[in-house]
Amino acid sequence: MRVLVIGSGAREHALLLALARDPGVSALMCAPGNAGIGKIAEQHPVDIASGEAVAALAKKLDADLVVVGPEVPLVLGVADAVRAAGIACFGPSADAARIEGSKAFAKDVMAAAGVKTAHSEIVDTPAKLDEALDRFGPNWVVKDDGLAAGKGVVVTTDRDAARDHAAELLENGHPVLLESFLDGPEVSLFCVVDGETVVPLLPAQDHKRVGDGDTGPNTGGMGAYTPLPWLPEQTVTQIVDDVVKPVAAELVARGSAFSGLLYAGLAIGKDGPAVVEFNCRFGDPETQAVLALLKSPLGALLNAAATGTLDQVAPLEWQDGSAVTVVVAAEHYPATPRTGDVITGADGDGVLHAGTKLVDDQVVSAGGRVLSVVGVGGDLNEARADAYSKISAIKLPGSHFRKDIGLAAVEGRIALP
Ligand code: GLY
């Protein structure tokens, strides 16, 4: 099977590494890719937001399966265009991708499916902002009601900070979503979904704030670990049965059946799991850790979802132990990341590339999240040690990373309410 992966981040690098382990995959291609991906896949330039361009490239490359990594092309209908060209595609239709692209749609689907989530209100004019803020918080949860790669979210006990963020979004023409705060440890559960068939992967936890101890602004994610030693196995079953399956069934009932990766971001509160958000694609950086432990062939799994045979896939097999990924970010990320710095030592095993490119045969930084370093071990402590020892060999001027990815779990500091 010839597989074309669309995207250029560490998530796509992780997908390609897992696909490379599948004996059924005969050729790996990526568009547009990055400096690290070039070592394992043939790379091609493409406008990932253009369904026409992606479908034409997939035809030219004789791809049997296209895997779309990021949300933006999915929301814009790239998977529809690939399927219309007669090529199997892993990724939902534009219609189904609204579960991430429109928070109002997601809330409506969850309400109809009886799924617990935060109470929310959309504010679209500054005149209504203060009154609305008074109905929420503290804590205030202020989100951009559109795609913002995680960086559009501010969670704060400071009303002025909440107001400033909301006012800035409104000034830039973005409606604001205010939400009630969901308490409890967060879980990312990725499910391969086709219609009403749901296959969960291992649960993971992201670290969204930029600084150790969950301090500083939100980012796209600074690191993740899997599995979660503090999460009972029955909670994963509960999430699948009470959250993901009802949402998948509701999407089918609306004529917007989901086919691809449905990412449930949840808070495990005293009344059980509640949805913080749904995404329509693999999460970044959790994917880098989750796929490091996958033993089953990824190409066969994704192709089954893309061709309507997911219900025939054998139960997934996982390597024992734990995996951790730590993001190495550019100086001044997330505000104004500096790019163009030369990186050395980033070619070892488990060093996945995100914002990198080759300039005169040198690897240079080209984005905020530059690398995602994956450690694997018999337990979480060993996996952390592996990841941090790999990072010590990497040189990127001004870069920073969190030192505490997975640490609260190792120290038994995560408790379910
Ligand atoms: N890990 C956050 C995201 O992928 O949206």
Side-chain angles (χ1 to χ4, degrees), residues 144-326:
D144 184 336
D145 185 41
L147 296 177
K151 287 174 285 183
V153 183
V154 163
V155 181
T156 180
T157 51
D158 178 345
R159 192 185 187 283
D160 291 340
R163 195 188 188 289
D164 288 351
H165 182 58
E168 191 185 327
L169 289 171
L170 289 170
E171 248 167 54
N172 291 313
H174 298 222
V176 167
L177 188 85
L178 295 180
E179 281 191 353
S180 56
F181 179 67
L182 291 173
D183 215 358
E186 290 199 1
V187 172
S188 302
L189 186 69
F190 300 166
C191 296
V192 178
V193 170
D194 184 37
E196 297 201 34
T197 308
V198 174
V199 176
L201 309 189
L202 290 180
Q205 191 178 50
D206 189 5
H207 294 58
K208 294 206 174 79
R209 303 266 185 174
V210 73
D212 282 355
D214 293 328
T215 52
N218 260 33
T219 67
M222 292 299 288
Y225 65 98
T226 185
L228 307 178
W230 47 268
L231 188 73
E233 216 170 295
Q234 80 240 28
T235 310
V236 172
T237 310
Q238 191 187 359
I239 294 168
V240 170
D241 291 346
D242 297 351
V243 175
V244 183
K245 284 187 173 170
V247 163
E250 176 61 25
L251 289 170
V252 169
R254 290 177 181 224
S256 303
F258 192 99
S259 177
L261 195 289
L262 188 54
Y263 162 152
L266 310 119
I268 314 296
K270 60 180 184 337
D271 301 325
V275 173
V276 176
E277 63 178 0
F278 275 108
N279 293 314
C280 66
R281 38 79 195 171
F282 281 95
D284 189 347
E286 299 97 313
T287 300
Q288 291 87 300
V290 170
L291 293 185
L293 297 182
L294 181 68
K295 287 208 305 200
S296 301
L298 181 66
L301 175 68
L302 304 186
N303 193 50
T307 56
T309 56
L310 186 60
D311 55 349
Q312 291 157 40
V313 164
L316 296 184
E317 289 183 44
W318 299 94
Q319 185 179 320
D320 288 339
S322 296
V324 169
T325 189
V326 181

Side-chain angles (χ1 to χ4, degrees), residues 4 6 46-59 66 68 78 82:
L4 169 64
I6 302 301
V46 78
D47 173 4
I48 66 166
S50 161
E52 207 181 317
V54 171
L57 179 66
K59 274 228 165 249
V66 175
V68 181
V78 165
V82 172

Side-chain angles (χ1 to χ4, degrees), residues 25 113 222 267 279 287 296 339 410 414 416:
V25 173
M222 292 299 288
N279 293 314
T287 300
S296 301
T339 57
V410 169
I414 303 185
L416 290 174

